[in-house]
Amino acid sequence: MSETPQSLFEAFAAGFLRPLLGGQRVQLTRLLGPGLVPHFSVAQTADSSVDAAIYERLHQRASRHAPVRALGYPEPETRAFAMALHDLIALTDPMLDRVFARGARPKIVAFVEALLAATGAPRTRGEVLARHVLCDRALALRRRDVVVTNWAYTYRFFGRPVPRNVVAMPRLRRVKQKAEERELLAIFSQLDTEEMPLHTLLRGLLARSPFTRIARFSLDATPLFDVSTLAMLEDASLRQGLITELRQAHESKLMARLGGELWKLQLRRDVPPRLLRVAVVFVLELGLRLMLRRDPPDFVGAPSSFELGLALSLPAAALQARKLWPELALDDAERVTTGAQIWAAWAGDVPLREAKNMIAEATSEADLERAS
């Protein structure tokens, strides 16, 4: 009997979404084409506890990044985003490397592209965080590959459980097992080809999840600051949540990347001062958070670059101009004032001058509003 859209949704919700959010082993279902989006967008499981568990885990994980009163679950476009995640992971299935199965790859690629096309930019804080949670959990997946040998045969089970009969009577049949866990991102890198453009599809996925795109900045070389990410960064709670998420990043690489992104943004003549201000405030607040750590980063040994110098000069430039400088407790203000001077001295005169120009440009719209 052929599977119905509802039976596929049941398998998708119970086998993929719920364990993905719960940190358990996920089970892929049949490929989810774009034709299923209308049904999946509004579907509910027959077992209401599955939907309840998905919502509870999604809300719990989202709330770790920023306050969320309620999630608009199900959000149709976020469901399409989750379907695209599922099919992208399905592309790594070794069973597709069989002679008569390779023809399915272009079809799956087209499915992922169509599902991403059905997923617009997130419009609410809840959507931003729901997509980040789904994407972040998926990118953290690992596949367990097991090779089983006995006196006569060799069996390979990639991402699949080993049947009991294969390992029965281990001494008599001289059964040996060798298991290896592989990260999903490493599998993407290995399989990325023109026929299976996994990195291109991953960039498309990140473009629909702006929080993840900046949090995982090393995965995407395209400009980080665009309409989608800057709209997200206008939300102060999301900004602070993202800064917290970046706490494990390599500080000099992070600040150099963000300094370069700021410079690209300023060089564009079509960016309104309001959006430039959002980007500057984000990098400035990130720098201040780094300074206020118990052990603030020391950039003395970091590779010198204009981009890094620009990012590190923002606190000193904001302090001198008294624009965009936040209200701080007395002790914190003293610490960041000293830190800003140290960073600016390390960066040099040229990045500091450009940081001042950038802040002046970013706040020019606000000055005009006050003057009027």
Side-chain angles (χ1 to χ4, degrees), residues 13-26:
F16 182 74
L17 281 183
R18 182 172 61 176
L20 177 69
L21 296 170
Q24 299 159 333
R25 184 191 297 269
V26 301

Side-chain angles (χ1 to χ4, degrees), residues 3 16 23 57 63 89 141 189 220 229 237 249 269 287 306 329 346 354:
E3 293 173 297
F16 182 74
R57 292 168 181 175
S63 298
I89 296 170
L141 288 175
S189 296
D220 190 3
T229 54
S237 293
R269 305 323 313 173
F306 168 76
W346 180 89
E354 294 301 335

Side-chain angles (χ1 to χ4, degrees), residues 73-84:
Y73 179 83
E75 283 287 352
E77 293 189 357
T78 299
R79 285 271 182 95
F81 179 81
M83 294 167 68

Side-chain angles (χ1 to χ4, degrees), residues 246-297:
L246 288 165
R247 66 188 182 278
Q248 301 296 334
H250 190 284
E251 294 94 345
S252 61
K253 291 181 180 179
L254 171 62
M255 297 302 279
R257 176 68 185 274
L258 293 178
E261 297 296 335
L262 280 177
W263 187 242
K264 292 176 191 174
L265 198 64
Q266 190 185 30
L267 290 178
R268 293 179 53 179
R269 305 323 313 173
D270 59 341
V271 178
R274 177 180 64 86
L275 293 182
L276 179 60
R277 177 189 177 105
V278 170
V280 170
V281 166
F282 168 62
V283 181
L284 172 62
E285 291 177 348
L286 174 60
L288 297 180
R289 181 81 73 88
L290 291 177
M291 286 181 187
L292 290 173
R293 284 181 177 177
R294 179 179 299 177
D295 297 311

Side-chain angles (χ1 to χ4, degrees), residues 85-152:
L85 263 176
H86 173 279
D87 283 4
L88 180 59
I89 296 170
L91 267 173
T92 67
D93 189 346
M95 298 297 285
L96 291 174
D97 199 32
R98 295 175 301 168
V99 174
F100 296 107
R102 289 171 190 161
R105 289 171 170 174
K107 179 180 179 181
I108 304 172
V109 170
F111 276 4
V112 176
E113 291 172 340
L115 289 167
L116 290 176
T119 306
R123 295 176 295 274
T124 65
R125 182 189 298 179
E127 275 188 284
V128 167
L129 293 177
R131 292 189 196 181
H132 171 63
V133 169
L134 290 167
C135 192
D136 195 56
R137 295 299 305 162
L139 295 180
L141 288 175
R142 303 168 71 91
R143 192 181 76 191
R144 189 169 187 267
D145 296 342
V146 182
V147 177
V148 181
T149 59
N150 60 32
W151 68 274

